[in-house]
Amino acid sequence: MMRLTRRQQQIYDILRSDADMMQRPPTYDELCHRLGLSSRGSLHKHIQALVMAGLVEPMAGKQRGIRLVSAEQQEQGIPMLGRIAAGYPIEAVEQTEKISVPDAMAGSKPRYALQVSGDSMIDEGIFDGDYVVIEQSAAADNGDIVVALIDQQETTLKRIEQKPGKIILHPANAAMSPMIYKADQIQIQGILRGLIRYY
Amino acid sequence: MMRLTRRQQQIYDILRSDADMMQRPPTYDELCHRLGLSSRGSLHKHIQALVMAGLVEPMAGKQRGIRLVSAEQQEQGIPMLGRIAAGYPIEAVEQTEKISVPDAMAGSKPRYALQVSGDSMIDEGIFDGDYVVIEQSAAADNGDIVVALIDQQETTLKRIEQKPGKIILHPANAAMSPMIYKADQIQIQGILRGLIRYY
DNA sequence: AGAATAGAGAACAACAGGAGAACAAACAAG
DNA sequence: CTTGTTTGTTCTCCTGTTGTTCTCTATTCT
């Protein structure tokens, strides 16, 4: 995270103490007065720096729009474990990262999110960069799209077909072929329950 | 939940305290008087804001129709307006329906959700049954995927290309062709900002 | 000196909040 | 049912506030 200057730290502290008191967010003029500033323009630059640092939500023109990115908000949601790309282990990101999902996507069983890398499921409408919500599970039904660990090494997102003794992983990309494994080569790590994409 | 302004909070408090006292809902004129307003028009805007925030039920012309939405009913999320299918107007569903979306998908401008019907955007990974999050807007940049109203009649989800005097709507389906319209045939109703799919 | 940092202040655009007219739907009285 | 009043809705216009963007100046630090 970006390093804060003295002024930015000071502003952030004021915003935080205000938030604790459940007050409505201050206007620029109010903040200026409390800081001893006489120019909103100067303050604006500092606020922008805080937005860049991710400590404050961007306020698109709204009045009294200064909003802290509250600790609560950061804790809500499901853990974002990393990026999943066919052919590689899951590339972990910072443990603490979380992403917010629709309520209906937060089921009773533990779930986590992964960001998809690559086009192996493109025919199922799962694109590079999309977020997938995975329900932790060691078993799946045939036809489910699962996160599968292959030979204890690489992880991939594929549609699964389980036959006695063997497991077939179907990519959804006309340019790729299904892969056939022995049952003990594959460990199911979770089942796809939802997909989220931002434009 | 959307943020309330001073006045809106004040009005909401009055409505709530009235409800506690089992009184019948006030008329606009009564409310105006208690608030020191002299224009019903001004009050109406505030009430509408409360409706949008999901704190008050929409009152379709009824007199003394201001009804609070009970705390349990106050689902957070964005309104789910209906299904959108190429070639038909938006098929409206119950006004009250809402769906929950990731926080990051609830922007500062008003947004709503539609359920996609049909395969016209399948090559973009937008499938039948998916939910799309639309930002209300009458203008869009070239290349944006928009909800477009054609000839005041049918509504569709397409990628837009605006040229002087004409507008081209590109489906994302190899089996369909782009459609060319005069600029005044098309009204942009919103821009695609997010996609949600359940498995 | 030169670059980064802070601030002042003007000018602008977006927004909140209100006034009032005109209209239409709802209601009440005859 | 008809009439007139109340009441909700829509519209345009106005005002002061507030966020944003500039340019210019001063300060600090290497």
Side-chain angles (χ1 to χ4, degrees), chain A residues 24-25 60 62 64-65 67 76 100 102-105 123-127 192-199, chain B residues 3-6 76 100-105 108 123-127 145 192-199:
Chain A
R24 57 202 287 101
K62 301 289 180 198
R64 290 182 184 266
R67 270 281 179 275
Q76 273 177 4
S100 156
D103 295 342
M105 233 177 245
D123 291 341
E124 292 274 356
I126 305 175
F127 283 33
L192 174 63
R193 291 301 184 202
L195 178 135
I196 295 170
R197 181 187 307 153
Y198 294 93
Y199 287 89
Chain B
R3 179 204 342 276
L4 299 184
T5 66
R6 243 159 303 186
Q76 41 187 337
S100 156
V101 300
D103 295 340
M105 235 176 247
S108 56
D123 292 341
E124 293 274 356
I126 304 175
F127 282 33
I145 297 176
L192 173 63
R193 292 301 184 204
L195 180 136
I196 296 171
R197 183 186 304 152
Y198 294 92
Y199 287 89

Side-chain angles (χ1 to χ4, degrees), chain A residues 135-157:
Chain A
E135 175 183 308
Q136 216 163 331
S137 168
D141 295 330
N142 279 335
D144 283 352
I145 296 175
V146 301
V147 175
L149 178 66
I150 306 171
D151 291 334
Q152 307 292 329
Q153 288 187 344
E154 55 183 84
T155 316
T156 187
L157 189 70

Side-chain angles (χ1 to χ4, degrees), chain B:
Chain B
M1 185 178 83
M2 215 179 93
R3 179 204 342 276
L4 299 184
T5 66
R6 243 159 303 186
R7 226 16 184 215
Q8 289 155 17
Q9 184 67 53
Q10 192 181 353
I11 294 170
Y12 185 54
D13 287 344
I14 290 184
L15 292 177
R16 257 206 325 220
S17 68
D18 271 18
D20 289 347
M21 294 177 172
M22 304 272 285
Q23 295 176 354
R24 48 209 296 254
T27 66
Y28 275 30
D29 278 346
E30 286 168 12
L31 262 183
C32 278
H33 186 255
R34 289 169 69 175
L35 291 164
L37 290 179
S38 66
S39 164
R40 276 171 301 185
S42 311
L43 177 61
H44 184 256
K45 277 191 291 190
H46 290 136
I47 303 283
Q48 280 308 308
L50 290 175
V51 171
M52 288 300 160
L55 298 173
V56 163
E57 282 181 22
M59 39 193 297
K62 304 287 179 202
Q63 291 181 191
R64 290 181 184 269
I66 305 175
R67 290 284 186 285
L68 290 177
V69 173
S70 66
E72 304 91 60
Q73 283 179 310
Q74 284 177 28
E75 320 161 37
Q76 41 187 337
I78 62 176
M80 164 68 191
L81 294 191
R83 291 173 63 87
I84 181 169
Y88 300 93
I90 289 180
E91 178 190 328
V93 296
E94 293 242 348
Q95 285 271 0
T96 54
E97 207 166 318
K98 294 207 170 190
I99 78 164
S100 156
V101 300
D103 295 340
M105 235 176 247
S108 56
K109 296 179 186 173
R111 298 188 174 198
Y112 55 92
L114 299 171
Q115 193 174 19
V116 175
S117 180
D119 291 335
S120 72
M121 295 299 286
I122 198 168
D123 292 341
E124 293 274 356
I126 304 175
F127 282 33
D128 188 280
D130 288 357
Y131 296 92
V132 287
V133 176
I134 306 294
E135 176 183 307
Q136 217 164 333
S137 169
D141 295 330
N142 280 333
D144 283 353
I145 297 176
V146 303
V147 176
L149 178 65
I150 306 172
D151 291 333
Q152 308 292 330
Q153 289 188 344
E154 53 183 87
T155 315
T156 186
L157 189 71
K158 294 282 187 308
R159 191 173 292 277
I160 195 169
E161 181 185 354
Q162 299 165 95
K163 294 191 173 184
K166 64 179 176 180
I167 292 179
I168 309 174
L169 297 182
H170 297 271
N173 185 328
M176 303 182 189
S177 307
M179 305 284 289
I180 305 177
Y181 299 92
K182 292 177 188 166
D184 58 6
Q185 284 184 282
I186 302 293
Q187 272 184 293
I188 297 173
Q189 299 199 318
I191 304 172
L192 173 63
R193 292 301 184 204
L195 180 136
I196 296 171
R197 183 186 304 152
Y198 294 92
Y199 287 89

